């Protein structure tokens, strides 16, 4: 009988152990699942907000950065609006690359973005303060109706995103309660092994926060975990705030790693972001305990209460608010100090990250499309537009080489320039492919109708620009063929080709003005008038060439090469008009009929 009781007791103990392990595994998966839900919700919400805002965000950012204070305010408002400091930083870098913002203005916007991103912590704090999940189910229902309504799809996506975020927060909060960390002796012993008043402890948790943020790639997720640990009474507030400071540094390390393959200005902007947060952490460490105590007093949190005290639970519920308040106070105080030293920060950043040696113009390199730093589809369009503008400048430079090739007499100089034209033809092919790939990746995301239309137009533009490169190369090959044949153009033919070249150069100049300054300040009349002149000149020279060959002024072979150059120039002019048409969004025939 005793043996049976012992066996039964052992069986029950084994069952309880297995049950406890399975529950632990279930709670673990629930924890990481709720974190994934939180991160997905924030991503969806941010993307839908940017989609709804569209190009207005770019206009606001460009218009409201007249000085360091308006730049800071703009960065704060834009980041709070789109819930993504990354999006604001990407926009800022885009404008610096494009020459629309100075690096100093960009630094002020990044400072503002750090303040704006603290709004996320307040949203999460609200999720921990009361049961927010009760409100998400009606929001899901409304969201699906809006999504199927199509016209309101962006609003539906936003509601879905914020609902997923709050559902993730609610589940995360409940999982923290289910874990019962406050009564887990092993966890308690681990955190109690650290002296809360020691600076070494603060530094250790700061490093842990930074490493965790780099691994998870989301400061919001680590903030949520910190709030769980603090609210459950396991993690003292000083260590929790040290984790928050580490998150601030960790998120800037990520952006700096991403910017390694980007251009100099992008790396400087990313480094300025890191400098801002590292400097803030250094001076906060000097006044750490008084600063944290001040924030606690501001919120009304009493850190001296023990678990046995009657108001302990109500006091502990304020910990998520303390973390959010510290995050805001830290960034506001840091900005208040550093905003006066933006010129000095700019000099320091430029001294640390020096400009690369000027790349040879004949080497293929994208200047504005940055590998790894752009993650916001709506804002990536600006980078592509600037890259296309640079593409067009290169094609005009290539045409300049062709004009020079026609007049070169020196054999070595001729061969060298012809090889340069061949290299530019390869560059044009590569630029078309790389920009098209970039636009294809951008188009895979959820985009507004206007942005989709812009991408379609840009794909047409790069195709036509590549055709301009082909035409330049064809003209160069014809001149090279003439050079090898020892045939010579007549003075009249040279004169006619130079006239045609002048008109094509004028056409290319108009196109580059449009791509650089935008269609708002551009009139298509000059472009279409130049195109008509090119067509008329081609027809005149074609008729004249037949007569000259018949009159034996030159032989048929040289006449054929001469007309190859003239006709290729006319084709080039057509490609230029196609680029203009794609950018301004009008049909050529309509413009021609209006000008007649």
């Amino acid at each position: 009988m005793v043996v049976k009781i012992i066996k039964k007791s052992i069986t029950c103990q084994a069952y309880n152990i297995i049950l406890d392990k399975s529950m632990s595994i279930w709670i673990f998966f629930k924890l990481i699942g709720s974190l994934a839900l939180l991160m997905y919700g924030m991503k969806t919400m941010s993307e839908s907000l940017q989609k709804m805002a569209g190009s207005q965000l770019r206009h606001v950012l460009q218009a409201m950065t007249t000085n360091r204070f308006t730049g800071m305010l703009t960065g704060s408002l834009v980041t709070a609006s789109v819930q993504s400091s990354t999006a604001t930083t990407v926009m800022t870098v885009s404008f610096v690359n494009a020459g629309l913002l100075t690096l100093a203005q960009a630094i002020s916007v990044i400072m503002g973005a750090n303040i704006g991103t603290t709004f996320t912590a307040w949203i999460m704090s609200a999720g921990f303060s009361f049961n927010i999940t009760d409100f998400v189910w009606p929001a899901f229902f409304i969201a699906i109706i809006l999504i199927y309504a199509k016209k309101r799809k962006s609003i539906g996506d936003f509601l879905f995103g914020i609902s997923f975020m709050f559902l993730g927060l609610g589940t995360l909060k409940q999982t923290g309660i289910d874990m019962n960390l406050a009564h887990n002796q092993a966890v308690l012993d681990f955190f109690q092994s650290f002296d809360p008043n020691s600076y070494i402890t603060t530094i250790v948790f700061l490093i842990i926060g930074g490493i965790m943020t780099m691994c998870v790639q989301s400061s919001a997720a680590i903030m949520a975990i910190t709030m769980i640990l603090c609210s459950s009474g396991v993690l003292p507030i000083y260590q929790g705030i040290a984790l928050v400071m580490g998150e601030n540094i960790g998120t800037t390390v990520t952006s700096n790693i991403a910017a390694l393959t980007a251009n100099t200005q992008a790396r400087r902007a990313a480094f300025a972001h890191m400098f801002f947060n590292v400097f803030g952490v250094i001076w906060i460490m000097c006044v750490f305990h008084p600063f944290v105590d001040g924030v606690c007093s501001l919120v009304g949190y009493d850190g001296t209460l023990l678990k046995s005290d009657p108001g302990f639970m109500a006091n502990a519920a304020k910990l998520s608010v303390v973390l959010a308040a510290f995050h805001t106070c830290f960034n506001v105080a840091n900005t208040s100090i550093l905003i006066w030293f933006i010129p000095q920060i700019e000099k320091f950043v430029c001294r640390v990250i020096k400009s690369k040696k000027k790349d040879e113009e004949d080497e293929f390199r994208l200047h504005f499309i940055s590998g790894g730093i752009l993650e916001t589809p709506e804002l990536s369009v600006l980078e592509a537009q600037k890259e296309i503008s640079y593409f067009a400048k290169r094609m005009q430079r290539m045409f300049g080489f062709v004009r020079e090739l026609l007049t070169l007499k020196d054999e070595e100089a001729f061969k060298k320039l012809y090889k340069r034209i061949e290299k530019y033809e390869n560059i044009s092919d590569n630029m078309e492919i790389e920009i098209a790939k970039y636009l294809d990746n951008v188009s895979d995301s959820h985009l507004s109708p206007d942005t989709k239309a812009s991408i379609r137009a840009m794909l047409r533009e790069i195709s036509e620009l590549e055709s301009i490169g082909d035409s330049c190369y064809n003209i160069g090959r014809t001149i090279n063929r003439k050079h090898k044949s020892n045939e010579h153009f007549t003075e009249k033919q040279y004169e006619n080709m130079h006239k045609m070249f002048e008109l094509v150069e004028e056409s290319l100049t108009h196109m580059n003005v449009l791509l650089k300054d935008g269609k708002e300040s551009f009139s298509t009349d000059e472009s279409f008038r130049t195109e008509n002149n090119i067509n008329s000149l081609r027809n005149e020279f074609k008729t004249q060439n037949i007569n000259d060959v018949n009159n034996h002024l030159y032989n048929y072979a040289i006449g054929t090469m001469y007309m190859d150059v003239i006709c290729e120039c006319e084709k080039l002019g057509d490609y230029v008009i196609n680029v203009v048409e794609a950018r301004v969004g009008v049909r050529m025939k309509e413009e021609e009929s209006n000008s007649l």
Side-chain angles (χ1 to χ4, degrees):
M1 184 70 180
V2 174
V3 173
K4 286 184 178 180
I5 292 172
I6 292 171
K7 284 184 177 179
K8 188 174 181 180
S9 175
I10 292 171
T11 304
C12 289
Q13 287 177 3
Y15 174 77
N16 288 333
I17 291 170
I18 293 170
L19 184 64
D20 287 343
K21 285 186 176 180
S22 63
M23 286 297 293
S24 299
I25 293 170
W26 171 248
I27 288 173
F28 171 75
F29 281 115
K30 195 175 178 182
L31 176 67
I32 60 175
S34 55
L35 278 173
L37 198 62
L38 169 69
M39 292 164 67
Y40 175 75
M42 289 202 66
K43 181 177 182 291
T44 305
M45 182 181 69
S46 176
E47 287 181 352
S48 59
L49 280 168
Q50 292 168 49
K51 185 177 172 183
M52 285 189 285
S55 61
Q56 280 100 356
L57 284 179
R58 295 198 290 269
H59 294 311
V60 167
L61 193 60
Q62 185 181 354
M64 293 184 63
T65 51
T66 52
N67 58 62
R68 66 185 77 179
F69 299 104
T70 56
M72 181 269 294
L73 182 62
T74 304
S76 302
L77 294 176
V78 170
T79 304
S81 299
V82 300
Q83 283 298 288
S84 174
S85 58
T86 301
T88 308
T89 304
V90 166
M91 274 194 293
T92 305
V93 172
S94 300
F95 282 123
V96 173
N97 287 344
L100 301 174
L101 286 182
T102 64
L103 183 60
Q105 289 173 318
I107 293 170
S108 68
V109 174
I110 289 170
M111 288 181 179
N114 276 275
I115 296 174
T117 197
T118 62
F119 187 64
T120 304
W122 286 105
I123 293 174
M124 296 174 71
S125 173
F128 277 90
S129 299
F130 59 92
N131 190 9
I132 199 74
T133 54
D134 292 341
F135 300 95
V136 302
W137 309 113
F140 276 128
F141 178 70
I142 296 169
I144 198 67
I145 293 174
L146 292 171
I147 286 174
Y148 278 103
K150 291 185 179 179
K151 288 185 178 180
R152 300 286 184 269
K153 187 177 183 300
S154 297
I155 300 174
D157 287 338
F158 167 72
L159 279 177
F160 254 120
I162 200 168
S163 299
F164 274 128
M165 186 184 75
F166 282 131
L167 181 61
L169 280 172
T171 309
L172 205 58
K173 178 185 175 184
Q174 187 58 46
T175 305
I177 295 171
D178 295 340
M179 290 169 71
N180 197 22
L181 294 173
H183 297 90
N184 190 317
Q185 196 57 44
V187 175
L188 290 172
D189 290 343
F190 172 77
F191 285 112
Q192 286 174 0
S193 64
F194 294 95
D195 180 8
N197 297 316
S198 170
Y199 275 101
I200 301 295
T201 300
T202 304
I203 293 170
V204 167
F205 277 85
L206 190 149
I207 294 170
I208 291 172
I211 294 172
M212 288 173 68
T213 303
M214 284 188 285
C215 293
V216 179
Q217 295 281 298
S218 172
S219 57
I222 306 304
M223 175 66 82
I225 293 173
T226 307
M227 286 183 175
I228 286 178
L229 292 172
C230 288
S231 299
S232 61
V234 173
L235 185 66
I237 188 62
Y238 292 116
Q239 280 93 315
I241 285 177
L243 283 177
V244 172
M245 290 195 300
E247 291 157 19
N248 277 272
I249 295 176
T251 192
T252 64
V253 171
T254 304
S255 63
N256 273 270
I257 292 172
L260 287 176
T261 56
N263 55 43
T264 303
Q265 290 293 67
R267 289 186 292 116
R268 283 173 176 169
F271 183 72
H273 191 196
M274 175 183 275
F275 173 82
F276 176 84
N277 284 337
V278 170
F279 178 85
V281 167
I282 290 172
W283 75 260
I284 282 288
M285 288 291 291
C286 298
V287 292
F288 184 67
H289 288 283
F291 192 90
V292 174
D293 292 341
V295 173
C296 290
S297 300
L298 188 67
V299 174
Y301 171 77
D302 187 357
T304 60
L305 286 180
L306 302 174
K307 291 184 180 179
S308 55
D309 294 333
F312 177 78
M313 293 306 295
N315 189 56
K318 297 177 182 177
L319 279 168
S320 61
V321 181
V322 173
L323 291 171
F326 172 82
H327 198 202
T328 302
C329 291
F330 166 75
N331 283 290
V332 170
N334 203 25
T335 301
S336 300
I337 294 170
L338 290 179
I339 198 168
W340 304 101
F341 300 97
I342 285 178
Q344 289 76 19
I345 295 172
E346 181 183 16
K347 289 178 182 176
F348 173 72
V349 168
C350 292
R351 191 173 298 150
V352 173
I353 301 178
K354 300 183 184 298
S355 298
K356 294 178 181 178
K357 291 181 180 179
K358 189 177 180 183
D359 292 338
E360 289 290 332
E361 291 292 348
D362 297 350
E363 295 300 322
F364 168 68
R365 183 172 73 90
L366 297 177
H367 281 233
F368 299 101
I369 292 176
S370 310
I373 196 167
L374 295 179
E375 300 174 356
T376 312
E378 290 282 349
L379 307 175
S380 303
V381 174
L382 180 66
E383 297 297 305
Q385 287 176 342
K386 295 301 172 184
E387 197 64 64
I388 290 170
S389 179
Y390 182 70
F391 188 4
K393 287 179 183 176
R394 275 192 154 179
M395 291 305 95
Q396 185 169 10
R397 190 181 301 121
M398 184 181 181
F399 183 71
F401 298 155
V402 171
R403 293 184 67 180
E404 185 181 349
L405 189 72
L406 181 65
T407 58
L408 272 180
K409 304 297 182 184
D410 183 72
E411 186 69 25
E412 283 301 315
F414 186 94
K415 288 180 179 179
K416 187 175 180 181
L417 187 58
Y418 183 67
K419 284 183 180 179
R420 198 174 187 189
I421 291 169
E422 287 182 316
K423 186 171 283 190
Y424 262 68
E425 204 279 328
N426 290 328
I427 288 173
S428 70
D429 292 341
N430 289 332
M431 290 196 77
E432 181 194 18
I433 291 168
E434 292 302 320
I435 297 172
K437 281 181 183 177
Y438 183 78
L439 291 172
D440 186 53
N441 290 335
V442 172
S443 64
D444 288 338
S445 308
H446 296 294
L447 299 169
S448 63
D450 288 343
T451 306
K452 288 180 181 177
S454 295
I455 288 176
R456 286 194 298 272
M458 284 190 282
L459 287 170
R460 184 184 174 193
E461 288 168 20
I462 59 173
S463 175
E464 300 297 339
L465 286 170
E466 193 276 333
S467 296
I468 290 173
D470 288 343
S471 285
C472 290
Y473 181 53
N474 289 338
I475 296 171
R477 284 198 306 172
T478 301
I479 296 172
N480 185 50
R481 191 168 76 247
K482 188 272 300 179
H483 184 77
K484 288 180 177 179
S485 68
N486 289 321
E487 297 280 358
H488 299 284
F489 292 131
T490 65
E491 289 298 323
K492 186 65 177 177
Q493 285 176 321
Y494 274 115
E495 184 183 334
N496 291 344
M497 284 188 286
H498 285 308
K499 283 181 181 178
M500 183 63 84
F501 284 168
E502 283 294 333
L503 287 174
V504 173
E505 185 74 32
E506 186 180 335
S507 181
L508 286 166
T509 301
H510 291 155
M511 179 189 73
N512 274 299
V513 169
L514 169 62
L515 294 177
K516 180 184 176 184
D517 298 336
K519 61 184 179 181
E520 291 80 8
S521 58
F522 183 82
S523 173
T524 58
D525 294 343
E526 285 296 321
S527 293
F528 288 111
R529 191 179 297 113
T530 304
E531 168 61 12
N532 288 333
N533 291 337
I534 291 173
N535 292 339
S536 299
L537 214 55
R538 185 273 316 266
N539 295 335
E540 178 189 333
F541 293 161
K542 190 173 183 180
T543 303
Q544 185 182 355
N545 178 65
I546 295 171
N547 294 331
D548 290 345
V549 171
N550 289 333
N551 293 330
H552 304 290
L553 296 180
Y554 44 80
N555 61 39
Y556 184 82
I558 197 69
T560 300
M561 287 186 279
Y562 163 65
M563 282 312 302
D564 283 346
V565 172
I566 295 297
C567 290
E568 204 61 56
C569 284
E570 191 276 329
K571 286 182 185 177
L572 199 157
D574 288 342
Y575 299 140
V576 169
I577 282 297
N578 290 341
V579 174
V580 172
E581 183 183 325
R583 179 53 66 98
V584 300
V586 298
R587 293 192 175 277
M588 190 178 89
K589 289 182 179 178
E590 292 176 0
E591 289 288 338
E592 286 180 338
S593 63
N594 290 335
S595 63
L596 293 176

